């Protein structure tokens, strides 16, 4: 029973993490570039404020629950290996976010919507690159676990 609950929570966490990053990558980020820059920056900063706790919680659960499952899983060596791979992908997602996107977010928060730096496009492009990579690792996390 404990293995079933753990598996359910791990599937839920990794699926929500993957889905959240895919939704952001496919829908939110393109929309950023289709509105005026001042709207883009205001929305991005507010989104950061709301995403902080939610996404960190999902990343943490996506790391912990596959490891928990690997410990509980008695039968299949492959199931344990894929669960550990899922945890590694969740950890990679967290590290990319923490050391790639978050420092850029901190810089973006200092920009005034009416007065942004000349290199704003390059900064956002760097954020987009990290976002793409962490989206891939989040999807790999989910696929590995399922």
């Amino acid at each position: 029973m404990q293995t079933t609950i753990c598996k359910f929570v791990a599937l839920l966490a990794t699926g929500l993490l993957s889905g959240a990053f895919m939704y952001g990558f496919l829908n939110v980020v393109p929309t950023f570039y289709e509105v005026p820059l001042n709207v883009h920056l205001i929305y991005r900063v507010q989104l950061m404020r709301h995403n902080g706790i939610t996404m960190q919680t999902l990343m943490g659960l996506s790391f912990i629950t596959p490891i928990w499952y690997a410990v509980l899983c008695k039968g299949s060596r492959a199931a344990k290996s894929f669960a550990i791979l899922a945890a590694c992908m969740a950890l990679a997602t967290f590290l990319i976010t923490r050391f790639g996107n978050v420092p850029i977010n901190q810089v973006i928060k200092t920009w005034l919507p009416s007065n942004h730096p000349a290199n704003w496009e390059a900064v956002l492009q760097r954020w987009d690159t990290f976002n793409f990579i962490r989206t891939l690792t989040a999807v790999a996390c989910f696929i590995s676990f399922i």
Side-chain angles (χ1 to χ4, degrees):
M1 180 68 168
Q2 188 177 14
T3 304
T4 303
I5 292 169
C6 177
K7 186 176 184 179
F8 171 77
V9 174
L11 281 169
L12 183 63
T14 60
L16 287 172
L17 181 69
S18 174
F21 277 118
M22 281 300 296
Y23 182 82
F25 179 76
L26 295 173
N27 296 295
V28 176
V29 173
T31 303
F32 280 158
Y33 294 103
E34 294 173 2
V35 298
L37 183 59
N38 66 326
V39 173
H40 172 148
L41 294 176
I42 292 167
Y43 181 74
R44 185 183 285 259
V45 169
Q46 292 308 310
L47 187 61
M48 287 178 219
R49 194 169 58 89
H50 289 279
N51 276 349
I53 292 173
T54 307
M55 296 308 289
Q56 287 180 30
T57 301
L58 282 175
M59 285 185 267
L61 284 172
S62 295
F63 174 72
I64 292 167
T65 55
I67 290 174
W68 179 26
Y69 180 76
V71 169
L72 295 177
C73 187
K74 301 294 181 208
S76 172
R77 179 174 274 230
K80 285 184 182 191
S81 297
F82 278 109
I84 291 168
L85 178 59
C88 290
M89 291 294 101
L91 179 61
T93 303
F94 171 77
L95 292 173
I96 292 163
T97 300
R98 177 64 191 94
F99 297 107
N101 295 92
V102 169
I104 297 169
N105 288 345
Q106 297 306 318
V107 170
I108 292 171
K109 284 181 182 180
T110 67
W111 297 353
L112 297 174
S114 59
N115 186 17
H116 47 276
N119 70 335
W120 68 271
E121 289 174 310
V123 173
L124 293 180
Q125 194 63 260
R126 208 165 95 239
W127 186 94
D128 288 343
T129 300
F130 286 120
N131 187 55
F132 174 70
I133 296 167
R134 73 181 177 173
T135 299
L136 290 178
T137 58
V139 170
C141 171
F142 181 55
I143 290 171
S144 297
F145 195 78
I146 59 172

